[in-house]
Amino acid sequence: MGIDPNYRQNRQVVGEHEGHKIYGPIGPPGKLGIHGTIVGVDFDLCIADGSCINACPVNVFQWFDTPSHPASEKKADPINEKSCIFCMACVNVCPVAAIDVKPP
């Protein structure tokens, strides 16, 4: 199943992290929500294989520690989402379809 492509409309903004919005629900450590608006990463699906970080030509992502999360203890955080060039490389390589990219 993958990230909900309509999360921006279907979920509420519950906070902010490193300059991007967090869409809930959240309930750490097991429920971390979706981080980002232009480049959204579903932290509950992300397994931290690093393919998006390696594929991104403009360094949108940075590792973020998420201790005790059942899928992985770190996530690819879209801290530079405003730098996205919409090449979709991250979306295409994510093995669990945890990333959605939409222009602002």
Side-chain angles (χ1 to χ4, degrees):
M1 184 169 130
I3 189 172
D4 173 7
N6 299 310
Y7 75 88
R8 296 159 189 88
Q9 293 80 34
N10 295 341
R11 294 181 176 218
Q12 288 188 323
V13 174
V14 296
E16 200 172 289
H17 175 252
E18 296 288 336
H20 61 263
K21 294 177 182 175
I22 302 171
Y23 295 81
I26 61 170
K31 201 94 169 117
L32 301 176
I34 298 175
H35 285 236
T37 300
I38 299 167
V39 179
V41 178
D42 190 327
F43 272 28
D44 298 322
L45 298 176
C46 178
I47 59 170
D49 79 323
S51 58
C52 59
I53 289 175
N54 293 331
C56 182
V58 293
N59 300 313
V60 165
F61 306 96
Q62 178 176 302
W63 287 122
F64 178 69
D65 289 331
T66 56
S68 300
H69 189 271
S72 64
E73 294 204 340
K74 63 183 178 178
K75 306 295 177 186
D77 196 15
I79 64 161
N80 296 315
E81 69 174 351
K82 291 179 181 166
S83 297
C84 182
I85 59 171
F86 309 103
C87 69
M88 307 304 275
C90 60
V91 172
N92 294 330
V93 298
C94 182
V96 292
I99 303 170
D100 184 66
V101 175
K102 286 204 176 45

